[in-house]
Amino acid sequence: MGYRPISVDMDTALYMLQQRESMPYGLSWGSSFPAVVNHTSSHVARKHPDFEAAKHGDFDAAIRLVDDLVKDDKVLEVAEQYPDAHVAYIHRRQGNGINMIPAAYAAKFAALGMTVDDDIIAVTDVKHTNASDIARLGRRMRYEGEVEKGKDYILLDDFITSGAELRDLRDYISSKGGNVVMITTLGHGSFGKLKDIRIDNDYKSKLQQAGITDQDLRRYGIASEIGCLTISEAAKFNRMVNKKRERPTSTVFERFSSLRQEQSSVPPMAKELPENEGRTQVSLPLPVTQHPSMRR
């Protein structure tokens, strides 16, 4: 990836090779995409008594959670700004059940008379929990479902941290002719606090300097171009390609250096041996530059 190799587990490597065929053609964020609208933090939401049940398939629990944490004035503000927009939310499996929090949040907009597209669904299992940076970046969410060409879309999810799955949904809807105008979530994580989800010019420059190209991203089915990435994804890429290589505890050259030090102490000892014809000849280590294993 770029100017340096990145280690990746076999499952992720196979996933990346297979997903290329289903990569939607995404668009760069542009200069006018608005900030993400959210209501609370994931830390607060996880303390709610209905959180676990809502996360694992209990829709009634999700409704109670959303009613307690969502600020109705923010929902009304979004609806008034884009009254004709369709709402699409992320259907994501959580363990043995479907995460119902996004659906419950979407119900707030449906109650205001907005159209909610329930048939746009995720069809891949990205398994991002406790995953490495390359696994999170390499395993992209893929979607299916009908998109109305020319229609504005508002995207919903429960929480936003990297924004990767929402970006994948945006790419899908854009590739089908829809126009994503806003993202809103129940709560935010680390990167959700930022005013802007988009990759910025500083990270674009860093990734380009590291040798990452649009062709790299397309080759592995990650994105159509660098400008499609979120700022969190860009940070992960930058961390990977600029990670300092760990220095081995004992390199080949260090071991040879140790042998050379031993060599320098052997000759004086040999001179002290009594001269006789039957003595054993001592074979000294070769210098590093002459060692057979180093001749290439």
Side-chain angles (χ1 to χ4, degrees):
M1 186 69 69
Y3 295 138
R4 63 163 298 178
I6 303 295
S7 297
V8 60
D9 63 275
M10 182 60 71
D11 286 344
T12 299
L14 292 173
Y15 191 104
M16 292 170 73
L17 292 174
Q18 293 170 354
Q19 75 181 0
R20 292 180 299 182
E21 301 303 318
S22 61
M23 186 182 74
Y25 186 80
L27 302 173
S28 293
W29 289 96
S31 59
S32 59
F33 198 84
V36 176
V37 175
N38 47 50
H39 302 268
T40 185
S41 69
S42 58
H43 177 71
V44 169
R46 291 176 190 281
K47 291 183 177 181
H48 193 280
D50 286 307
F51 175 78
E52 288 299 328
K55 196 80 171 176
H56 294 86
D58 189 330
F59 186 69
D60 291 336
I63 289 291
R64 291 192 295 270
L65 173 72
V66 166
D67 282 342
D68 287 347
L69 298 179
V70 165
K71 299 174 176 62
D72 289 339
D73 58 331
K74 285 190 175 184
V75 175
L76 185 60
E77 184 178 344
V78 171
E80 289 177 342
Q81 188 173 358
Y82 300 103
D84 297 324
H86 285 214
V87 173
Y89 60 94
I90 291 182
H91 298 50
R92 184 170 57 248
R93 180 169 290 280
Q94 193 75 26
N96 295 324
I98 300 294
N99 177 9
M100 287 296 176
I101 298 174
Y105 183 29
K108 285 280 189 180
F109 292 89
L112 295 175
M114 298 184 70
T115 300
V116 176
D117 287 350
D118 297 294
D119 61 338
I120 300 177
I121 61 173
V123 294
T124 54
D125 183 6
V126 293
K127 296 180 180 178
H128 281 169
T129 303
N130 299 321
S132 64
D133 281 347
I134 186 58
R136 287 176 178 273
L137 291 165
R139 291 173 173 264
R140 308 310 315 181
M141 187 78 86
R142 296 293 186 248
Y143 297 87
E144 291 181 357
E146 185 177 350
V147 174
E148 188 172 336
K149 289 185 178 180
K151 181 63 67 175
D152 289 343
Y153 280 82
I154 298 170
L155 308 187
L156 273 61
D157 200 3
D158 53 354
F159 305 114
I160 185 167
T161 48
S162 72
E165 294 171 11
L166 283 161
R167 193 267 288 179
D168 291 337
L169 180 55
R170 174 181 180 266
D171 285 355
Y172 173 73
I173 290 175
S174 297
S175 73
K176 297 295 184 180
N179 179 36
V180 177
V181 294
M182 178 172 283
I183 292 174
T184 178
T185 63
L186 172 69
H188 62 71
S190 55
F191 274 87
K193 293 181 181 179
L194 299 175
K195 291 185 61 116
D196 203 336
I197 189 177
R198 305 169 299 171
I199 185 174
D200 59 19
N201 289 330
D202 182 47
Y203 269 119
K204 284 182 183 178
S205 178
K206 287 180 179 178
L207 298 189
Q208 288 165 352
Q209 290 173 9
I212 292 180
T213 65
D214 296 343
Q215 289 76 16
D216 282 333
L217 300 182
R218 288 194 290 268
R219 182 180 301 124
Y220 301 112
I222 296 172
S224 298
E225 56 182 286
I226 290 175
C228 293
L229 299 175
T230 68
I231 193 167
S232 173
E233 291 176 310
K236 286 184 173 67
F237 267 118
N238 186 62
R239 183 163 60 240
M240 284 193 310
V241 297
N242 290 301
K243 183 179 180 181
K244 293 182 179 179
R245 297 179 183 274
E246 296 182 1
R247 188 168 179 265
T249 55
S250 178
T251 66
V252 172
F253 293 102
E254 287 173 336
R255 291 196 294 271
F256 279 142
S257 177
S258 176
L259 288 173
R260 293 186 70 181
Q261 291 177 3
E262 293 177 12
Q263 173 187 353
S264 64
S265 64
V266 171
M269 294 174 60
K271 290 180 181 178
E272 296 173 4
L273 292 174
E275 294 184 5
N276 59 69
E277 295 180 358
R279 73 179 181 185
T280 303
Q281 298 296 316
V282 178
S283 178
L284 301 180
L286 293 172
V288 172
T289 55
Q290 298 178 14
H291 197 282
S293 66
M294 300 297 291
R295 292 174 185 166
R296 293 286 181 186

